[in-house]
Amino acid sequence: MQMKREDFEILNERVYGKELVYLDNAATTQKPREVLDAMTYAYTHFNSNIHRGVHHLSQIATRNHEEARQKVAQYINTESPDEIVFTKGTTDSINMLAFSVGELLVREGDEVLVSAVEHHSNIVPWQMMCERKGARLRVIPLREDMTLDMEALDKLLNEKTRIVSVAHVSNVLGTVNPVGEIVRKAHEKGVAVCIDAAQSAAHMRVDVRELDCDFMAFSAHKMYGPTGLGVLYGKREWLEKLPPAEGGGEMIEHVSFEKTTYNTLPYKFEAGTPDFIGSYVFGKALDYIERIGRAEIEKEESELTAYAEQRLKEVPGVKIYAAGQRKAGVISFNVEGIHPYDIGMLLDRQGVAVRTGHHCAEPLINELGVPGTVRISFGLYNNKEDVDKFVEALEKSLHILTGV
Ligand code: PMP
């Protein structure tokens, strides 16, 4: 994987004169040269609004957009590309879904289930919908070892539950949730499941047919692709039934002032001009990931995570959250008596980019009983040298902060 670093020019940047060590991939990933080139190529050679045009450029743009949809469909193994809705990102996908599910399924007294490790974007849209509908948001708790309490899930699932929405991988702990088992249990009770794959889609094989989930959401920018683009997957039978969350051009079949009929899938859910440049560029990012291979990426990142946990354990005062659990390239930790922000600041001065704070998962951080954590997260270009530089910089930071 070492040679892949050459594809990411930004890794040569210097920060305060130091070599950049980029360990904030859970927030966003860097883009390889061919993805950046694809953006320029698209604007230079076929920029033209899609679907409506009879002219040459519009036809090329339309074909490229639909080819990208096919690539995404293959990437997560959907039955049909019609089940792929392009959105602005995971947050947008979940907001759209929560609105539509609320309109179709949720009545007063009903329940929606999320887990204790969710990102705000997999809490707040459901909460807003529950408030509108007089429904209740319930939470799958954590066990002592910071994995989800699956026995509690059995008790929480009941005849009032309308949907379960859970993260595949926690963006704070890095833990891989047993989403296949959650789907099985929910389906036994006739309940639909949405998987927030924002932190898994670039790091492991994600197969919607194997998981049998009803919905899935993820963001291109966390997958070496462009910002402002995401995906909502939905099983065809669900997407057929759900009402669209947004109205406008493109999503209609016929419009009159009296009544509008909707377009076929997936266009019913894509109001307005979609990001057809972004989708094309995202397709190139998926090509890049596939060329390296997700099995290879998962293997290397899990080895790197294990190595980083082991190195971190050697640093006095470090507490790693969910230590030893199966993780997908994310580690959160704290150092006794030191605010995570101070560590982040001092690491930055040494060229090491990490994230500190609540990571948009305040309920989880509150449960951990800390003001925040320091989080390192890996991408396919990170290596042991990055980990060593990070640990060295951490030790220096702690020396400055404690004088020891
Ligand atoms: N869910 C999870 C688990 C995430 O990690 C993130 C991004 N940090 C999101 C949702 C939101 O993604 P976006 O900001 O791209 O919409």
Side-chain angles (χ1 to χ4, degrees):
M1 213 91 92
Q2 178 72 24
M3 56 180 293
K4 293 289 165 231
R5 288 174 79 86
E6 293 155 16
D7 300 332
F8 295 82
E9 218 171 299
I10 199 169
L11 299 178
N12 299 326
E13 285 295 299
R14 297 219 149 219
V15 175
Y16 306 112
K18 308 276 181 349
E19 281 174 20
L20 170 66
V21 178
Y22 187 76
L23 298 177
D24 193 19
N25 293 282
T28 201
T29 53
Q30 302 303 343
K31 323 300 172 197
R33 166 57 51 201
E34 64 194 66
V35 167
L36 300 175
D37 287 348
M39 176 90 66
T40 308
Y41 181 87
Y43 277 118
T44 313
H45 293 288
F46 65 80
N47 178 42
S48 177
N49 209 335
I50 58 168
H51 292 147
R52 286 165 280 226
V54 288
H55 62 81
H56 181 69
L57 288 191
S58 176
Q59 284 177 23
I60 297 175
T62 305
R63 197 182 62 223
N64 286 339
H65 184 61
E66 294 308 326
E67 272 178 20
R69 196 189 304 279
Q70 267 171 23
K71 281 185 191 176
V72 178
Q74 268 167 22
Y75 188 83
I76 59 168
N77 193 28
T78 67
E79 245 168 55
S80 151
D82 299 349
E83 296 172 314
I84 297 295
V85 176
F86 282 119
T87 66
K88 289 185 287 195
T90 309
T91 307
D92 190 36
S93 300
I94 299 176
N95 273 281
M96 278 176 51
L97 182 66
F99 180 87
S100 298
V101 164
E103 292 308 292
L104 182 73
L105 289 183
V106 182
R107 304 287 169 265
E108 199 173 335
D110 285 347
E111 296 179 357
V112 171
L113 261 184
V114 295
S115 91
V117 302
E118 300 310 320
H119 187 280
H120 295 161
S121 40
N122 199 29
I123 301 173
V124 186
W126 299 110
Q127 208 165 38
M128 288 162 70
M129 182 270 277
C130 284
E131 269 173 29
R132 252 190 349 260
K133 297 287 167 182
R136 184 175 170 208
L137 187 72
R138 304 196 70 187
V139 184
I140 309 166
L142 283 182
R143 288 187 285 232
E144 195 73 356
D145 65 359
M146 291 193 192
T147 60
L148 292 187
D149 186 340
M150 298 298 278
E151 280 159 29
L153 171 65
D154 291 335
K155 296 197 189 95
L156 283 162
L157 279 167
N158 66 49
E159 69 288 348
K160 292 186 207 151
T161 317
R162 292 292 160 262
I163 189 163
V164 181
S165 192
V166 285
H168 195 175
V169 169
S170 160
N171 69 307
V172 176
L173 302 173
T175 42
V176 185
N177 289 325
V179 282
E181 199 184 335
I182 293 172
V183 171
R184 255 194 327 279
K185 283 176 186 275
H187 283 183
E188 275 169 21
K189 302 267 170 78
V191 177
V193 178
C194 170
I195 297 177
D196 172 353
Q199 292 299 344
S200 59
H203 303 280
M204 58 180 69
R205 206 170 62 88
V206 173
D207 182 327
V208 290
R209 277 194 272 179
E210 195 177 296
L211 291 169
D212 197 27
C213 57
D214 303 277
F215 304 100
M216 181 174 276
F218 48 94
S219 302
H221 73 94
K222 294 182 195 284
M223 304 170 70
Y224 313 101
T227 51
L229 185 84
V231 169
L232 173 64
Y233 157 79
K235 276 185 184 162
R236 177 184 287 281
E237 53 270 35
W238 275 117
L239 294 185
E240 297 279 9
K241 279 189 285 193
L242 285 170
E246 293 179 346
E250 207 68 42
M251 53 77 72
I252 52 91
E253 181 191 36
H254 293 294
V255 178
S256 74
F257 288 116
E258 289 70 40
K259 172 132 188 87
T260 291
T261 52
Y262 302 138
N263 205 339
T264 51
L265 293 181
Y267 312 111
K268 179 172 104 176
F269 295 100
E270 292 181 353
T273 300
D275 186 359
F276 55 86
I277 300 286
S279 61
Y280 171 77
V281 176
F282 185 36
K284 299 294 176 196
L286 294 182
D287 290 346
Y288 186 86
I289 294 175
E290 297 281 34
R291 218 168 45 241
I292 297 171
R294 272 178 282 173
E296 173 74 7
I297 291 171
E298 188 176 353
K299 181 173 159 283
E300 295 236 352
E301 288 182 354
S302 89
E303 279 169 18
L304 198 56
T305 309
Y307 177 70
E309 276 210 1
Q310 179 218 319
R311 291 284 337 259
L312 262 174
K313 274 188 205 146
E314 293 161 10
V315 181
V318 165
K319 176 181 165 61
I320 300 167
Y321 298 97
Q325 298 292 346
R326 183 183 164 212
K327 288 183 181 177
V330 176
I331 300 175
S332 258
F333 68 95
N334 264 311
V335 182
E336 219 182 317
I338 297 175
H339 199 283
Y341 182 74
D342 293 338
I343 294 174
M345 286 274 290
L346 287 172
L347 286 175
D348 176 52
R349 285 279 155 183
Q350 297 169 82
V352 182
V354 302
R355 186 139 303 230
T356 64
H358 58 52
H359 316 296
C360 296
E362 261 191 71
L364 173 59
I365 293 296
N366 289 340
E367 192 168 333
L368 298 180
V370 290
T373 72
V374 185
R375 181 185 74 184
I376 57 170
S377 52
F378 301 120
L380 53 80
Y381 31 70
N382 290 120
N383 56 24
K384 285 187 173 174
E385 214 181 309
D386 289 333
V387 173
D388 292 340
K389 282 185 193 156
F390 151 70
V391 173
E392 195 183 313
L394 176 66
E395 282 170 334
K396 248 192 219 160
S397 309
L398 297 181
H399 177 68
I400 293 167
L401 288 165
T402 63
V404 182

